[in-house]
Amino acid sequence: MKIARMHVLLPVDPDTVLAGVMEFQKALLEELRKRNLEEEIKVLETGSIGITGKGILMVVYPEGIYYANLKVTDIPRIVEEHFLKGRPVKDLLLGEVPARFVKKEKVGLTREQKRVVLENVGIIDPENIDDYIAAGGYEALEKVLTSMKPEDVIEEIKKSGLRGRGGAGFPTGIKWESAKKAPGDEKFVICNADEGEPGTFKDRLILEGDPHKLIEGMIIAGYAIGAEKGYIYVRGEYELSIRRLQKAIQDAYSYNILGKNILGTNVNFDLEIKKGAGAYVCGEETALIESLEGKRGQPRNKPPYPVTHGLWMKPTVVNNVETLANVPSIIKNGAEWYRTMGTEKCPGTKVFTILGHVVYPGLIEVEMGTPLRDIIFNYGGGIKDGKRFKAALVGGAAGVFLPESLLSVRMDFDNLKQYSAVLGSGAILVMNEDTCMVDMLFSIIRFFKHESCGQCTPCRIGTYELYALINKVREGEAKEEDLDKMISLSEAMFKSSFCPLGQSLVMPVKSAIENFREDFLAHLDKNYKCEKCRR
Amino acid sequence: MAEMVKLFIDGREVEVEQGSTILEAAKKAGIHIPTLCYHPDLPPTGACGVCVVEIEGSPTPKRSCCTPVAPGMKVTTNSKALREVRKTIVQLLLSDHDVTCPTCPANEKCELQSLANYLGVDMNGLPAILERKPIDETSISIVKDPNKCILCGRCVIVCNELQTVSAITIANRGFEAEVDTFFSQGLGNSPCVNCGQCTVFCPTGALSERSEIDLVWDALLDPDKVVVVQEAPSIRATLGEEFGMEIGTVTVGKMYAALRKLGFDYVFDTNFAADLTIMEEANELVERIKTGKPLPLITSCSPGWIKFMETFFPDLAEHVSTCKSPQQMFGALAKTYFAKEAGIDPSKIVSVSIMPCTAKKFEARRPEMRDSGYQDVDYVLTTREFVRMLKSAGIDLKELPDEKPDELMGMYSGAGTIFGATGGVMEAAVRTAYWMITGKELENLDITAVRGMAGIKEAELDINGLKVKVAVAHGLGNARELLTKVRKQIEETGKSEYAFIEIMACPGGCVGGGGQPKGSTFAMRARRGEGLYKEDKSLPIRRSHENPAIKRVYEKFLGKPGSEVAHRLLHTYYYKRCDQTGCTLEAVTEKHVGHH
């Protein structure tokens, strides 16, 4: 058996594909073939390593060296200097040298993280089930099927304190328990992979980079609550995710990990992919269910909750991708292990997306409770081009604008509540001093107006009215009372919208106007020059 | 025995069945919570948000119309914060509304108008953002104005789930959401059967009938024209409530007086034609029973039902009675029999009908309804239009004396008047069919088994030893259920258990018709029906064949039921229609052929 002496990982995700990684890969393989190096140097496609905006990336092992912004013309030099002579090409490296496993000075997103859901992403080939198994995959499933009763699984998840990672933070163990207890012969597990929150693509990383982890989590969930059918509702735009999921599901079936009599037991579980069709509102669990049933994607009234009346009005657990991706590790390593990370009320890790005016935009997975300042400055590398920090939009479009004074807030569900903020999907959009907050709020309002399903009056018309009002501000037609009108309108929407979409506008509207009132007041003057708002 | 739940609403303890909503509990406690999109006869949609209440322990207010009660729940129905929210919602609706109250067909009946008034809303609080969409005027019967729609969702539930026609749905997302037909083809190019139930449930003027008021005024004020009018049975049981009288009060005498005041030259009565329909239809039923011809016989006086049959059950067309509806029988006779008797040139006669129905507007304009040589019925006014005409003419129904109709085509029996209630046609027909089959009179005229608001009613009648099974369905959803069963029976065994079926398109029968006052709940419809049965019981003549005016028209003009003249003027034929566009495909029964 030939063992390669060097592994070259090429993260393949929409970001790098756009930069030309497929052509780069072809050229690299050609170069290696020319020099008779294909046996000793293995080139692998992996999922995203969480770094964005840095063109074609390449990670070389065993050193753990990160290259960035590569071009096809760099290949001969890298092969000659690094692969053959062992001298990494310094001017092509990402930031500085250190790698994940080398405990030296770390920079940017390569800094040490606690990777649980992302432990395999960027390391294994996501289209190879054997890679997943070799990395310890499906061991948790084996443990569950051979030595745990469904109640034991639920108990373990409850003890771990795992909370939903989709945004609401509901205790997962309790959700599973309610579904298990609910009367009914047929139950379902649905994975919410709609990932519509702007600025969020954490689930995409898992779907593209480690689809089997999700599958394993779903089978365990099905076993725990007594469901034999699962659906992964993926947003239709995630082509690569869907393709990799399909391959993973196919392989799992052929390995008898899905289907009837899993791994020789009397447990059955079928898994199907359903594609979304471009509606943010279908990320709301009951609208998702309506869409799955082939109806207009609009939310249902709650109660009753999906755990008792979900898909086809039967007991259903709807969980986010990241939530389910935590399950195998919790089962394998135990609830106590999980609790060693994070905070008491929010144990475990969280994938954060750092975007905007930072040096290193991308994704990291760190413990719950990490201070926002650390995330932005230590991992994100701080504000790029030497500019100053102005604001961070935390939680996604349905999030809160935090000013500099609140940078020390710890990022978990409960701590953020104190500042009327939400963890949401973990998206952090960083804005520098040149940003116009009126323009930012305009973008957000425009998004919600576009995505409102139209079912309820407060949101359908309220989002349009907010849009009309913010346009007045942009164009210099507004009075100061219009700013207060926007706040009171969004508060009325919070109190009377049918679902969280309409309810959440109060967060960006209120936080933008209250924390950055100067920006808005400046726009009241028709002659005020703003590049973003007034061309 | 359902479990009971105790909760507190505004400090008051109330006990209701488990599964009840907070709104239902408040109603029981006598506490009023304002609502808008909610309707007591339909499942709640939760669309408007007006009914939100504060619940202790809940971070946000909840909609009382669709939130179930929980033991020990503490609810507050009114507070400064709740008032602000409700005002904001109405403000939002008004900012996206074509506010034309003075001339809007829903003026004074509009639920948005009364709620805005009750809350005291600042109309200029928010920028006006209405983006005008075109009004759908493709239908003969119904006008859809999207600029007045508040997207309550009632019409969609009514059309899809109650009537099972599915001509409309909600299309597009968010602010662009609107109630629309398939690819915006328009109601006139959709399977819409014109039943008009959507217009009754619509809380605003978004859905209303196509108005013929001006056309009728033009005729009334034209000295050259002789304007005759007929009024459906339901009108006399409904008019009173629009002038402050108790629901179900029969005001027939005042109705005639009002019509004369408006200027109609001859005031007749559809009930006369209803008796005529019974003569022809009972005769048809007896013929079919004798010859073993296609049974069941299905009634044909509901034009919404007829278009529904043509669209969804054309295979059962040979079962439908060839009799025209009373409106159309009247129309044919007005320009022949009456014209002859009164010595009037039929080309000068304008025939108007007052109907609780929007589908009658379509029926009057069906191309085959011209057996008199002219369009048999010229204009149809709904109850709503009639009331508007009366009020605009300053007529207060309560103040009018009781008058009599013009007898030639105005005299009627109790059998004619009960046509307006579901089961009434069935009962009326049986009273005469009994006599036609046995030669004897039916003693107990009250066939209560076919009365009432149950969706499908059945009875087994004993006609002097002959066992006859009958069924009655009202509301097209129930019609579909019954006829699907009949269709299956005929497919599988060649025949059905039923001999005679009455179908009414509208829940409650005509008293719940699509042209009746907006906001007609099922409870109101039931009371109007009871008024008609009361009138029937009070009349000296309760059988169609005993009506002197009926005897006269046969003696002097028609000969006998089923005669050649009767067939030519009083019978019709049906089409097959496309269930996507409602357009006519082909004739499925023969023109004026009797069933020999």
Side-chain angles (χ1 to χ4, degrees):
Chain A
M1 182 179 105
K2 286 249 159 106
I3 298 177
R5 67 165 173 87
M6 186 175 261
H7 283 86
V8 176
L9 273 59
L10 286 174
V12 172
D13 77 326
D15 202 53
T16 55
V17 166
L18 263 173
V21 71
M22 302 313 284
E23 293 78 23
F24 182 90
Q25 184 184 54
K26 230 168 113 196
L28 176 63
L29 287 167
E30 184 53 47
E31 182 73 18
L32 293 174
R33 206 172 302 125
K34 247 176 33 193
R35 293 165 171 270
N36 277 314
L37 290 169
E38 325 110 81
E39 293 288 319
E40 22 180 312
I41 299 179
K42 272 257 153 352
V43 176
L44 284 153
E45 264 185 39
T46 68
S48 163
I49 53 173
I51 295 173
T52 67
K54 302 281 185 216
I56 298 173
L57 302 160
M58 194 167 79
V59 189
V60 182
Y61 286 103
E63 305 99 311
I65 297 213
Y66 289 68
Y67 286 101
N69 289 312
L70 292 178
K71 295 188 199 26
V72 167
T73 46
D74 296 325
I75 294 176
R77 200 153 58 106
I78 296 176
V79 173
E80 178 73 37
E81 288 296 315
H82 184 170
F83 295 178
L84 283 176
K85 298 183 183 165
R87 295 198 289 254
V89 184
K90 287 223 167 81
D91 54 280
L92 295 174
L93 292 179
L94 168 76
E96 287 162 25
V97 167
R100 291 179 58 219
F101 301 108
V102 179
K103 282 178 174 29
K104 273 204 248 168
E105 236 267 294
K106 298 173 185 44
V107 155
L109 300 177
T110 60
R111 270 177 80 95
E112 175 138 350
Q113 304 164 33
K114 284 255 168 78
R115 289 168 89 97
V116 173
V117 300
L118 294 182
E119 65 182 344
N120 294 329
V121 177
I123 299 186
I124 66 168
D125 178 358
E127 303 197 12
N128 191 340
I129 186 173
D130 293 327
D131 258 22
Y132 180 68
I133 293 172
Y138 290 119
E139 276 178 30
L141 178 63
E142 194 197 339
K143 180 174 174 186
V144 161
L145 292 178
T146 56
S147 67
M148 294 174 84
K149 294 204 288 298
E151 306 85 76
D152 301 329
V153 176
I154 293 180
E155 199 49 46
E156 195 69 18
I157 299 296
K158 274 173 80 176
K159 275 210 316 245
S160 75
L162 173 66
R163 287 168 70 167
R165 297 289 194 259
F170 189 84
T172 308
I174 296 181
K175 187 183 266 191
W176 289 15
E177 191 172 46
S178 309
K180 182 173 198 320
K181 288 202 180 127
D185 50 348
E186 200 183 4
K187 302 186 184 183
F188 300 97
V189 176
I190 298 179
C191 170
N192 186 344
D194 197 47
E195 190 154 63
E197 196 64 61
T200 315
F201 45 99
K202 62 180 178 75
D203 295 336
R204 172 163 77 73
L205 244 73
I206 299 170
L207 295 171
E208 288 172 358
D210 196 5
H212 282 285
K213 194 180 275 288
L214 171 64
I215 295 173
E216 188 177 3
M218 286 188 78
I219 304 172
I220 294 174
Y223 176 76
I225 71 165
E228 295 195 343
K229 186 64 192 271
Y231 291 92
I232 304 177
Y233 187 95
V234 195
R235 62 178 291 167
E237 298 90 335
Y238 275 1
E239 264 184 53
L240 185 57
S241 301
I242 293 171
R243 213 160 18 94
R244 294 209 170 137
L245 269 172
Q246 276 167 343
K247 175 86 183 13
I249 290 176
Q250 206 180 357
D251 290 345
Y253 267 104
S254 64
Y255 275 45
N256 194 214
I257 291 171
L258 281 172
K260 297 237 172 306
N261 304 113
I262 297 176
L263 297 176
T265 65
N266 61 359
V267 175
N268 309 322
F269 195 73
D270 277 311
L271 195 51
E272 205 180 308
I273 298 174
K274 284 283 190 192
K275 291 199 255 190
Y280 168 76
V281 71
C282 285
E284 197 279 330
E285 60 180 1
T286 58
L288 188 159
I289 290 174
E290 289 281 294
S291 171
L292 253 179
E293 293 185 5
K295 294 168 12 209
R296 194 180 151 85
Q298 56 187 35
R300 296 177 181 169
N301 190 46
K302 299 198 277 200
Y305 294 92
V307 284
T308 53
H309 295 85
L311 184 62
W312 311 117
M313 285 303 169
K314 301 189 174 181
T316 307
V317 154
V318 182
N319 275 142
N320 176 262
V321 173
E322 193 186 342
T323 313
L324 287 163
N326 272 294
V327 169
S329 306
I330 293 175
I331 296 294
K332 206 160 83 163
N333 305 321
E336 281 96 61
W337 160 81
Y338 197 68
R339 280 198 164 275
T340 61
M341 301 178 288
T343 65
E344 208 213 302
K345 291 232 191 88
C346 299
T349 60
K350 178 82 191 79
V351 180
F352 291 100
T353 330
I354 316 166
L355 294 174
H357 299 136
V358 288
V359 179
Y360 296 108
L363 293 95
I364 57 168
E365 184 178 358
V366 290
E367 293 187 48
M368 276 284 204
T370 305
L372 180 60
R373 189 184 297 278
D374 276 8
I375 295 177
I376 295 176
F377 290 94
N378 294 347
Y379 289 96
I383 314 295
K384 69 180 182 189
D385 302 332
K387 299 271 185 181
R388 277 181 39 241
F389 174 90
K390 181 167 181 176
L393 177 62
V394 172
V400 169
F401 287 101
L402 292 177
E404 188 164 11
S405 52
L406 295 176
L407 268 179
S408 48
V409 69
R410 296 178 146 267
M411 301 292 286
D412 72 9
F413 291 114
D414 307 310
N415 270 307
L416 282 165
K417 260 217 193 106
Q418 287 173 37
Y419 303 94
S420 302
V422 284
L423 185 62
S425 57
I428 301 166
L429 180 66
V430 180
M431 291 156 270
N432 69 15
E433 56 195 304
D434 296 334
T435 312
C436 170
M437 299 313 288
V438 174
D439 181 54
M440 288 305 301
L441 185 59
F442 165 72
S443 286
I444 291 184
I445 291 177
R446 183 180 53 186
F447 171 75
F448 281 112
K449 159 182 143 328
H450 182 67
E451 296 292 342
S452 169
C453 76
Q455 182 181 207
C456 78
T457 304
C459 176
R460 179 183 77 248
I461 309 182
T463 50
Y464 213 85
E465 276 293 356
L466 284 172
Y467 184 71
L469 287 167
I470 192 77
N471 271 318
K472 272 176 86 177
V473 175
R474 289 173 80 221
E475 289 156 18
E477 304 286 336
K479 298 197 206 35
E480 191 165 356
E481 64 193 39
D482 288 324
L483 300 178
D484 301 315
K485 251 188 219 169
M486 287 178 69
I487 293 181
S488 61
L489 176 55
S490 62
E491 281 174 342
M493 286 168 68
F494 173 70
K495 293 197 182 129
S496 59
S497 291
F498 197 73
C499 86
L501 194 157
Q503 288 164 4
S504 58
L505 266 128
V506 68
M507 291 188 294
V509 170
K510 208 165 168 187
S511 62
I513 296 177
E514 280 179 359
N515 294 332
F516 302 94
R517 204 174 173 91
E518 332 77 54
D519 275 32
F520 288 86
L521 290 176
H523 282 72
L524 296 183
D525 176 5
K526 201 165 181 154
N527 297 316
Y528 175 72
K529 294 218 191 308
C530 174
E531 264 177 34
K532 298 280 168 58
C533 302
R534 298 168 190 183
R535 296 286 154 85
Chain B
M1 180 57 188
E3 226 185 280
M4 300 303 276
V5 172
K6 272 207 194 110
L7 66 152
F8 298 91
I9 303 183
D10 295 340
R12 229 180 285 186
E13 191 184 77
V14 57
E15 197 177 27
V16 283
E17 267 181 36
Q18 190 177 64
S20 303
T21 61
I22 298 177
L23 186 63
E24 288 164 352
K27 200 158 174 225
K28 191 166 177 199
I31 294 174
H32 169 74
I33 301 177
T35 61
L36 183 53
C37 68
Y38 173 77
H39 193 284
D41 297 327
L42 301 174
T45 59
C48 70
V50 169
C51 70
V52 284
V53 292
E54 286 160 359
I55 303 174
E56 199 180 270
S58 172
T60 54
K62 292 267 180 230
R63 284 158 167 70
S64 52
C65 66
C66 51
T67 303
V69 297
M73 203 184 230
K74 292 206 179 75
V75 178
T76 306
T77 68
N78 209 357
S79 69
K80 185 160 193 263
L82 286 174
R83 263 187 78 78
E84 285 306 311
V85 169
R86 291 173 186 150
K87 279 190 187 186
T88 302
I89 292 173
V90 174
Q91 239 182 2
L92 288 171
L93 286 169
L94 290 173
S95 75
D96 185 33
H97 195 87
D98 187 15
V99 185
T100 63
C101 301
T103 52
C104 177
N107 189 25
E108 289 182 12
K109 283 278 180 182
C110 175
E111 298 178 44
L112 174 63
Q113 190 183 42
S114 43
L115 184 62
N117 220 314
Y118 155 77
L119 286 172
V121 172
D122 171 14
M123 297 238 342
N124 299 311
L126 292 167
I129 50 174
L130 176 69
E131 285 172 1
R132 272 177 200 283
K133 295 195 180 94
I135 298 176
D136 176 3
E137 294 179 299
T138 56
S139 163
I140 293 174
S141 297
I142 297 168
V143 177
K144 180 169 76 72
D145 185 351
N147 307 304
K148 297 188 173 157
C149 178
I150 62 168
L151 278 158
C152 64
R154 290 183 191 174
C155 58
V156 173
I157 294 178
V158 165
C159 191
N160 285 272
E161 292 172 36
L162 192 66
Q163 299 296 77
T164 67
V165 173
S166 304
I168 48 176
T169 189
I170 302 210
N172 306 328
R173 188 175 75 194
F175 195 69
E176 275 81 55
E178 64 172 305
V179 173
D180 206 359
T181 48
F182 184 64
F183 275 108
S184 307
Q185 296 279 293
L187 284 169
N189 302 312
S190 75
C192 171
V193 300
N194 307 305
C195 74
Q197 285 302 302
C198 56
T199 63
V200 176
F201 280 92
C202 177
T204 66
L207 285 162
S208 55
E209 65 271 83
R210 200 172 60 87
S211 178
E212 299 182 55
I213 295 179
D214 283 338
L215 294 166
V216 173
W217 273 126
D218 284 350
L220 287 170
L221 298 168
D222 184 344
D224 231 11
K225 300 275 194 248
V226 177
V227 193
V228 312
V229 66
Q230 53 163 317
E231 329 72 43
S234 318
I235 310 299
R236 71 212 63 213
T238 313
L239 263 189
E241 67 189 67
E242 292 292 290
F243 290 88
M245 297 161 88
E246 233 194 86
I247 301 176
T249 313
V250 173
T251 57
V252 54
K254 299 186 194 305
M255 178 179 73
Y256 298 138
L259 287 161
R260 289 210 177 86
K261 258 192 145 43
L262 279 177
F264 286 95
D265 297 302
Y266 289 87
V267 177
F268 292 130
D269 201 317
T270 310
N271 287 9
F272 157 83
D275 282 331
L276 191 61
T277 304
I278 291 302
M279 297 302 294
E280 293 296 318
E281 195 151 338
N283 181 60
E284 192 184 1
L285 175 65
V286 170
E287 282 297 310
R288 289 199 188 193
I289 290 178
K290 278 201 193 137
T291 61
K293 262 313 157 93
L295 289 176
L297 177 67
I298 310 176
T299 59
S300 56
C301 43
S302 167
W305 143 240
I306 292 298
K307 192 162 189 267
F308 183 83
M309 177 277 292
E310 291 175 323
T311 309
F312 300 107
F313 290 90
D315 51 306
L316 297 179
E318 58 166 0
H319 291 273
V320 180
S321 164
T322 56
C323 290
K324 290 182 182 175
S325 68
Q327 167 179 285
Q328 295 304 132
M329 285 195 180
F330 180 99
L333 288 185
K335 298 188 181 182
T336 53
Y337 174 57
F338 163 67
K340 188 161 150 228
E341 291 286 318
I344 298 173
D345 174 6
S347 69
K348 298 246 189 293
I349 296 178
V350 176
S351 175
V352 178
S353 70
I354 317 281
M355 291 287 148
C357 180
T358 43
K360 294 271 173 207
K361 291 177 185 271
F362 179 84
E363 186 185 42
R365 284 158 186 90
R366 287 177 73 122
E368 68 274 18
M369 297 296 182
R370 303 182 65 95
D371 290 317
S372 65
Y374 308 89
Q375 184 172 316
D376 296 339
V377 176
D378 294 291
Y379 307 125
V380 177
L381 294 172
T382 61
T383 313
R384 297 191 289 257
E385 287 172 281
F386 182 42
V387 169
R388 271 166 68 199
M389 274 184 87
L390 291 177
K391 293 193 173 175
S392 71
I395 296 171
D396 183 1
L397 191 81
K398 287 195 306 296
E399 304 299 317
L400 297 174
D402 285 333
E403 290 184 17
K404 287 217 184 306
D406 292 308
E407 276 192 9
L408 189 74
M409 286 170 58
M411 264 177 74
Y412 63 91
S413 75
T417 207
I418 58 176
F419 259 59
T422 163
V425 178
M426 171 69 66
E427 231 187 281
V430 169
R431 293 178 190 179
T432 293
Y434 188 93
W435 167 75
M436 282 184 176
I437 292 175
T438 67
K440 297 196 279 237
E441 292 296 356
L442 178 62
E443 286 301 318
N444 180 15
L445 290 176
D446 299 314
I447 307 174
T448 51
V450 298
R451 296 186 186 185
M453 291 295 282
I456 301 177
K457 300 164 275 186
E458 294 184 19
E460 182 138 356
L461 306 173
D462 185 341
I463 301 190
N464 208 26
L466 174 69
K467 294 261 189 281
V468 170
K469 196 157 186 205
V470 302
V472 171
H474 56 118
L476 290 169
N478 293 317
R480 183 183 286 274
E481 195 186 312
L482 177 63
L483 292 169
T484 303
K485 181 178 168 192
V486 169
R487 176 192 264 160
K488 195 156 177 261
Q489 287 176 341
I490 294 176
E491 262 171 24
E492 289 176 359
T493 67
K495 59 195 188 77
S496 166
E497 62 185 293
Y498 305 105
F500 192 24
I501 293 178
E502 178 205 288
I503 304 280
M504 290 295 153
C506 298
C510 307
V511 287
Q516 290 286 70
K518 273 185 181 287
S520 295
T521 62
F522 290 169
M524 289 163 73
R525 303 173 195 208
R527 284 171 70 184
R528 292 173 195 152
E530 281 159 30
L532 289 175
Y533 284 117
K534 253 169 79 184
E535 199 210 357
D536 164 41
K537 234 183 156 89
S538 73
L539 289 175
I541 299 176
R542 298 181 66 193
R543 303 180 183 87
S544 303
H545 52 275
E546 293 178 348
N547 180 350
I550 292 295
K551 288 188 190 169
R552 189 185 191 283
V553 71
Y554 277 106
E555 239 172 83
K556 297 277 168 134
F557 193 70
L558 295 170
K560 60 181 173 81
S563 72
E564 212 223 295
V565 182
H567 261 296
R568 187 167 45 83
L569 291 176
L570 308 178
H571 290 253
T572 185
Y573 55 102
Y574 305 115
Y575 302 98
K576 178 175 175 170
R577 292 182 192 272
C578 171
D579 62 3
Q580 309 271 293
T581 62
C583 72
T584 316
L585 295 175
E586 51 171 315
V588 290
T589 59
E590 286 162 48
K591 188 173 167 46
H592 292 183
V593 173
H595 289 265
H596 309 305

